[in-house]
Amino acid sequence: APRGGELLGRLRTAKVINDYGPAGVPLLLSRGRHPHSSILVPARRTAAGELAGRAGIDLARTAGATLSGVAVVPPNFVSGSEAAMADAQVAAAWLREEAAVQDVDVRRKLKRGNPVRVLGEFAASASLLVLTLPELPVNPIRPGIVGHLVRRVPSSVLLVPATT
């Protein structure tokens, strides 16, 4: 996976995603944490979140891995209400229900904070983080959540295309 200084790392990350993303197939950025015994997915009720969640469920079922779903709630000063916490609980419950269909247990986690920091924190103990491929092209100056996570997490990252 792309490494280096901050700017060089951002450029490399954007290049890898922009070069291979249009192929329309999952992109695995491996960090040598195979076999993937613990899989982390975001618990979000968005099209991208649900796609990553379903891919993580399929992988956990196939590999016999543990699956953790993290619902990130924005800080109080950003969200301003407890509605965001309720939405996160609904997303985590949805992930658990989807996984139950395939007889996969989900460890649900809810945490308030910055999505890059929260997912990065949980990815430190996972062997694989599953995310949806971001909208292309990725801008190295503003790489978005996925671009930041690809650069920062120690786990392998699987980027699932939205066309799957």
Side-chain angles (χ1 to χ4, degrees):
R3 297 280 182 186
E6 185 65 27
L7 182 57
L8 183 59
R10 285 182 181 209
L11 289 168
R12 287 180 177 164
T13 299
K15 179 168 178 33
V16 166
I17 294 172
N18 290 334
D19 285 353
Y20 295 103
V25 297
L27 175 61
L28 176 64
L29 303 170
S30 180
R31 300 240 167 73
R33 288 198 169 183
H34 187 72
H36 302 301
S37 58
S38 58
I39 298 170
L40 179 68
V41 297
R44 298 191 63 214
R45 289 305 314 261
T46 63
E50 290 179 6
L51 185 63
R54 286 186 178 115
I57 292 166
D58 290 343
L59 288 167
R61 170 93 170 124
T62 302
T66 60
L67 180 65
S68 296
V70 177
V72 181
V73 181
N76 280 332
F77 69 87
V78 174
S79 64
S81 74
E82 287 304 309
M85 183 61 83
D87 290 344
Q89 290 169 337
V90 167
W94 172 86
L95 184 64
R96 178 173 269 176
E97 290 171 12
E98 285 289 310
V101 172
Q102 293 197 41
D103 200 27
V104 173
D105 289 327
V106 178
R107 295 178 181 161
R108 297 180 299 174
K109 303 167 193 290
L110 281 79
K111 187 161 182 183
R112 197 174 285 278
N114 176 308
V116 173
R117 289 189 179 155
V118 171
L119 286 168
E121 174 186 322
F122 286 109
S125 60
S127 53
L128 180 66
L129 172 62
V130 180
L131 300 168
T132 304
L133 195 65
E135 187 174 318
L136 300 175
V138 171
N139 181 334
I141 305 304
R142 299 186 67 197
I145 292 172
V146 172
H148 283 295
L149 285 168
V150 165
R151 266 239 340 109
R152 296 176 183 197
V153 300
S155 62
S156 297
V157 179
L158 178 66
L159 299 177
V160 182
T163 57
T164 317

